[in-house]
Amino acid sequence: GTRHLDTDTRRWLRGSAFPRLDEQGEVRHVLVSLIDVTAEVQAERALRESERRHRSLNERFSLAAESAGIGVWELTLDNNELIWDEGTYRIFGYSPDEPGTPATLFYERVPPDDRYRIANEVLDCVQSPLPMDAEFRVVMPSGQVRTLKAYARVIRGEDGRPQRIVGGNHDITKQRLKVDAELDCTGLWVLLDGYLQADACTGDGWL
């Protein structure tokens, strides 16, 4: 493409040249075609800038989530695919290369009563404008029972339909024994909620 100034506005053009030959094979003239692709170039640049900002946001949030002990997960609603980050694997007592899908690993660790309740919480979250805020138990292989706090928000498409749920889990087993457990976790949920709202604005997946 080539550029030129048109009434103080920079335009992007895509040009093609087609030579016309005479009977002796000499070039008689050249047909030149120019197409204004300014909108296409601007859209591509805007997309790259959006991706750059989103990567920067993800990097900052990853560091904050890791330092706060938050495990982040994402559920795609059209195919029910669950994705975990490394922090979530650790909270559930797994290594990131553990065989099996995150959904299978979740069912292995969470008691049936809590699985049923969390499933209902997820359904309520999809149908409600309010974020999900729930607690559930995780039973480790040693028999130890951990209490996790789950916070999640629905990400909707331009048509308003729910596309995915992005959330975070935090091990509050120790804090659960304290009266001020909710106070201890408030900062973590503010952090996660800020990211989820930014994610909803960009429309890009975090994981």
Side-chain angles (χ1 to χ4, degrees):
T2 60
R3 298 176 296 179
H4 72 90
L5 293 178
D6 178 17
T7 62
D8 297 328
T9 300
R10 178 170 291 182
R11 311 294 296 177
W12 286 86
L13 304 178
R14 180 179 295 128
S16 301
F18 307 93
R20 291 293 183 265
L21 309 180
D22 59 18
E23 295 179 355
Q24 287 74 39
E26 299 292 334
V27 176
R28 295 289 301 274
H29 58 273
V30 177
L31 297 178
V32 177
S33 171
L34 296 176
I35 301 176
D36 189 337
V37 294
T38 304
E40 179 182 333
V41 172
Q42 290 174 341
E44 183 179 350
R45 286 183 167 183
L47 177 60
R48 287 201 300 266
E49 177 61 20
S50 175
E51 291 173 344
R52 184 195 65 78
R53 290 197 303 267
H54 193 66
R55 283 195 301 270
S56 177
L57 175 63
N58 285 345
E59 290 169 358
R60 294 196 300 270
F61 181 75
S62 295
L63 292 173
E66 183 177 356
S67 64
I70 295 177
V72 181
W73 52 269
E74 181 174 316
L75 176 65
T76 304
L77 296 175
D78 61 351
N79 59 7
N80 286 325
E81 180 185 13
L82 180 62
I83 303 174
W84 284 355
D85 74 340
E86 292 187 5
T88 301
Y89 278 94
R90 288 194 295 269
I91 289 175
F92 279 80
Y94 296 111
S95 64
D97 58 354
E98 184 76 25
T101 65
T104 300
L105 302 178
F106 175 86
Y107 280 101
E108 288 180 356
R109 289 282 195 265
V110 180
D113 290 348
D114 288 27
R115 292 200 303 257
Y116 178 78
R117 182 167 48 78
I118 289 298
N120 286 332
E121 293 273 6
V122 170
L123 290 176
D124 290 343
C125 181
V126 172
Q127 299 170 2
S128 169
L130 300 177
M132 184 180 85
D133 189 349
E135 294 182 12
F136 62 95
R137 296 166 297 166
V138 172
V139 181
M140 309 303 289
S142 64
Q144 177 196 19
V145 179
R146 295 180 180 177
T147 301
L148 302 189
K149 185 82 168 178
Y151 185 85
R153 183 181 293 276
V154 173
I155 306 300
R156 301 181 183 274
E158 294 182 357
D159 57 1
R161 295 182 180 181
Q163 293 183 336
R164 52 198 172 88
I165 301 176
V166 179
N169 295 328
H170 181 60
D171 187 345
I172 60 167
T173 304
K174 294 181 180 179
Q175 296 97 315
R176 196 68 179 83
L177 302 176
K178 301 178 183 179
V179 176
D180 59 349
E182 290 297 328
L183 181 60
D184 289 344
C185 294
T186 299
L188 304 179
W189 305 137
V190 170
L191 170 68
L192 181 59
D193 191 50
Y195 171 77
L196 294 180
Q197 293 190 50
D199 183 281
C201 293
T202 61
D204 299 320
W206 183 77
L207 299 172

